[in-house]
Amino acid sequence: MKRFSRSGIRIVMSVVQPLVYLLALGFGLNKVFEQSGRGHYIDFIVPGIVAQTILFNAIFWGVGIMWDKQFGFLKETLVAPVSRTNIMLGNALGGATIAVIQGVMLLIISIIFGFRPYSLVLLVITFVVMSMLALSMVSFSAGIAAIMNDMQGFMAVNNLLVIPLFFLSSALYPLDSVPTAMKIIASLNPLTYAVDALRMSLIHQSHFPLWQDFTVLGATLVLLFSFGVYRFKRIQA
Amino acid sequence: MQPIISVRNLTKKFGELTAVNDISFDVIKGELFAFLGPNGAGKSTTIKMLTTLLKPTAGELFLAQHNVSKEQDAARKTFGIVFQDPSLDDELTAYENLELHAALYHVPSSVLKKRSQELLTLVELWERRNSKVKTFSGGMKRRLEIARGLLHHPQILFLDEPTLGLDAQTRNLLWSYIERLNSDEGMTIFFTTHYLGEAEAVADRIAIIDHGKIVAMGATEELRAQTNTNNLEEAYLELTGKGVRDETLGSADGRKEMIRTFVRSRNLK
């Protein structure tokens, strides 16, 4: 929805954390990574950090929903003669747009710090992947928030999910360099495929074929969006 | 007379707690109907069920002959509501809030233009139509919500403690609008309040709910006669007792307070 522009500070703050990751890890581990003959580490992790920005911001979208269904505009929509599917769609698109903008901001900052995308045409794929990831995560978050009333519980669930999702994906390290067990876990993690597709489109490196990335991402999106709609239909405010 | 709101054996349970216990009543078209009761008696729960926000555990509800659980959208078109807590979009202007409402209720734009001017003039906000809602005081927000609730010409207006937290001047102004709507447009008004004087002054009929049961219903004079008291306040205390109610754990208000504190502490809003 059109209210996202409201708080400049919040948007800036939301890219600071991934930026710290990017700079600390990107420059801190660059030498080690270069020595293993894989090019610049900062290039390697930019796609991972872009995915992280989107994941972290999208997953907390639900906080606003929990507030909104008690005190906010969402309540007005819940008594209106509009289907809950449409309400969920509008809400999730709003959240996803914000998350994608944050991802784009991070990408721009990376470019300022010297990152160069492989090809401008492939940025279209980058954008599509970012949108799919954002919409999936926002839907999931909205679904959890829809019929949950305990704010602390919501934060706990999300923190519990977000850290392993991020660290057990291919965001920070190449999959072919980790123990088999970790590789298996990472290949069950949808974020891995988002990062893989982003890496393909941004630096032309990937672990899986692009069609496989998109199949997993598409399936995740359908599943999580349906979950969100299912839960929205059961909101009891 | 045909009832416009019809409640039949309505029950709502939250786990062990029975918030509304098998109540039945009718509100006649054009009535100004007050729904009173102590905290936790079941007022808000009943309003939420009437307005499709909560599903009843048992019983049936009809708004203008539409079954609320079976014909949800038809039922939703029949009413406007002013919630206890503001549900406006703060970042939008007063007029944009009305535009959004018009979109949700499929009000054509020609009607929107005409009606929003009438309504904003009525609630004395026409001059401020292009100001963002976050710059409004509590009373202005409440007035805007009333205007919004009326935009789609509802047959019924639900008001959940419409005057809570407002000063005497604003309360006075609000009630005069509401009475005018009721007398000029024949709109049915269903409201809750803790200010018994207001209910006594404006309501045609009053229902008092306590512990999930309706303990009395009728015009003020009937309630006074029934309890042998001099005014509504005395009648009310006679019917519901003088003990102060403790909010039950996990009650709606308690939960809201928790979310409020949490969101503010994290500066999320």
Side-chain angles (χ1 to χ4, degrees):
Chain A
M1 288 183 232
K2 58 169 153 173
R3 61 177 304 169
F4 106 94
S5 58
R6 62 171 166 199
S7 110
I9 292 285
R10 233 170 89 192
I11 295 172
V12 172
M13 287 308 289
S14 65
V15 291
V16 166
Q17 193 192 3
L19 195 61
V20 170
Y21 271 88
L22 179 72
L23 297 182
L25 294 176
F27 289 112
L29 294 177
N30 198 19
K31 269 270 141 30
V32 183
F33 198 77
E34 273 177 354
Q35 277 161 9
S36 69
R38 292 169 178 276
H40 296 302
Y41 188 54
I42 194 151
D43 290 344
F44 181 80
I45 61 165
V46 163
I49 302 292
V50 167
Q52 181 208 8
T53 312
I54 293 178
L55 171 71
F56 280 36
N57 287 298
I59 207 102
F60 289 104
W61 177 247
V63 174
I65 293 182
M66 292 180 86
W67 168 279
D68 220 27
K69 71 179 177 194
Q70 300 277 6
F71 310 111
F73 180 71
L74 187 62
K75 214 155 120 175
E76 143 94 350
T77 63
L78 293 178
V79 297
V82 176
S83 86
R84 292 276 167 96
T85 309
N86 287 349
I87 296 172
M88 160 68 199
L89 182 64
N91 191 294
L93 284 177
T97 308
I98 296 172
V100 168
I101 288 173
Q102 286 160 339
V104 169
M105 280 170 62
L106 199 95
L107 196 55
I108 292 170
I109 295 171
S110 316
I111 290 171
I112 296 171
F113 278 100
F115 175 76
R116 290 293 168 262
Y118 177 78
S119 125
L120 289 178
V121 180
L122 288 180
L123 283 180
V124 176
I125 296 181
T126 310
F127 186 76
V128 172
V129 175
M130 284 164 77
S131 307
M132 286 172 82
L133 175 66
L135 197 56
S136 306
M137 292 304 147
V138 164
S139 301
F140 175 73
S141 181
I144 296 284
I147 61 175
M148 202 161 169
N149 285 312
D150 172 9
M151 192 74 78
Q152 262 90 4
F154 176 81
M155 295 303 244
V157 169
N158 279 350
N159 280 324
L160 199 71
L161 273 169
V162 109
I163 297 298
L165 262 180
F166 175 58
F167 283 103
L168 296 175
S169 76
S170 59
L172 296 179
Y173 41 79
L175 278 190
D176 48 24
S177 66
V178 295
T180 319
M182 247 169 111
K183 202 150 126 189
I184 293 170
I185 296 173
S187 57
L188 294 172
N189 178 352
L191 192 67
T192 294
Y193 297 89
V195 172
D196 198 59
L198 287 175
R199 203 161 274 151
M200 170 66 206
S201 64
L202 284 171
I203 60 169
H204 215 253
Q205 285 178 21
S206 66
H207 188 81
F208 302 103
L210 198 58
W211 64 264
Q212 194 179 345
D213 294 336
F214 270 97
T215 310
V216 175
L217 277 175
T220 308
L221 176 58
V222 169
L223 193 74
L224 294 180
F225 186 76
S226 313
F227 166 75
V229 169
Y230 175 83
R231 302 270 294 205
F232 254 64
K233 289 194 170 157
R234 278 153 193 79
I235 289 184
Q236 307 268 298
Chain B
M1 275 281 246
Q2 184 81 281
I4 192 155
I5 301 175
S6 206
V7 175
R8 293 279 162 267
N9 307 103
L10 184 68
T11 299
K12 179 73 192 178
K13 290 184 180 165
F14 296 105
E16 293 288 289
L17 179 91
T18 306
V20 173
N21 189 359
D22 194 21
I23 62 171
S24 299
F25 62 88
D26 284 332
V27 177
I28 308 296
K29 193 168 165 32
E31 251 186 328
L32 236 163
F33 189 88
F35 197 55
L36 311 178
N39 284 337
K43 291 188 305 286
S44 287
T45 308
T46 305
I47 282 213
K48 281 179 178 170
M49 285 190 282
L50 280 165
T51 55
T52 74
L53 280 174
L54 268 182
K55 257 201 191 113
T57 309
E60 287 191 311
L61 294 163
F62 297 89
L63 295 178
Q65 281 76 57
H66 297 293
N67 186 317
V68 170
S69 38
K70 290 182 187 136
E71 308 159 71
Q72 225 167 38
D73 279 0
R76 283 174 176 157
K77 280 182 189 150
T78 63
F79 67 85
I81 179 167
V82 177
F83 295 106
Q84 221 175 78
D85 297 289
S87 64
L88 298 159
D89 196 322
D90 275 4
E91 293 297 321
L92 300 183
T93 67
Y95 190 77
E96 285 168 337
N97 266 287
L98 296 186
E99 276 180 330
L100 256 178
H101 186 87
L104 289 172
Y105 286 80
H106 305 290
V107 176
S109 66
S110 55
V111 179
L112 164 71
K113 281 206 184 84
K114 188 168 156 286
R115 187 115 174 112
S116 54
Q117 180 167 3
E118 278 169 26
L119 288 168
L120 287 176
T121 312
L122 174 77
V123 298
E124 295 172 26
L125 287 173
W126 179 244
E127 303 291 308
R128 298 292 305 273
R129 66 186 178 279
N130 292 323
S131 313
K132 282 192 179 176
V133 170
K134 67 175 169 194
T135 63
F136 284 12
S137 70
M140 290 163 81
K141 286 184 185 169
R142 203 66 57 85
R143 271 144 56 200
L144 178 58
E145 289 218 35
I146 293 181
R148 184 181 69 178
L150 296 171
L151 189 66
H152 58 287
H153 256 298
Q155 303 175 56
I156 309 162
L157 183 63
F158 288 101
L159 301 159
D160 195 2
E161 301 193 26
T163 52
L164 188 74
L166 302 183
D167 61 23
Q169 284 83 352
T170 314
R171 289 212 303 265
N172 210 338
L173 197 72
L174 269 184
W175 283 119
S176 62
Y177 298 144
I178 293 167
E179 287 192 288
R180 208 178 330 153
L181 284 167
N182 177 252
S183 59
D184 295 358
E185 305 205 13
M187 192 176 289
T188 309
I189 313 278
F190 183 104
F191 71 95
T192 69
T193 183
H194 281 300
Y195 304 106
L196 299 171
E198 294 180 351
E200 187 163 21
V202 304
D204 298 322
R205 260 190 331 140
I206 292 162
I208 297 176
I209 184 168
D210 196 16
H211 302 297
K213 283 275 190 197
I214 294 201
V215 294
M217 185 154 65
T220 309
E221 308 80 61
E222 290 166 11
L223 298 182
R224 285 204 315 251
Q226 198 183 324
T227 50
N228 222 346
T229 48
N230 296 318
N231 59 36
L232 182 62
E233 178 130 11
E234 287 176 20
Y236 176 85
L237 290 174
E238 190 62 37
L239 287 160
T240 58
K242 291 191 174 145
V244 173
R245 302 309 162 85
D246 289 325
E247 292 276 342
T248 43
L249 250 169
S251 73
D253 289 342
R255 210 168 60 213
K256 275 187 194 170
E257 198 43 50
M258 203 183 81
I259 296 182
R260 257 188 207 124
T261 320
F262 182 83
V263 170
R264 291 212 181 108
S265 71
R266 299 237 169 168
N267 218 354
L268 292 166
K269 184 86 181 178

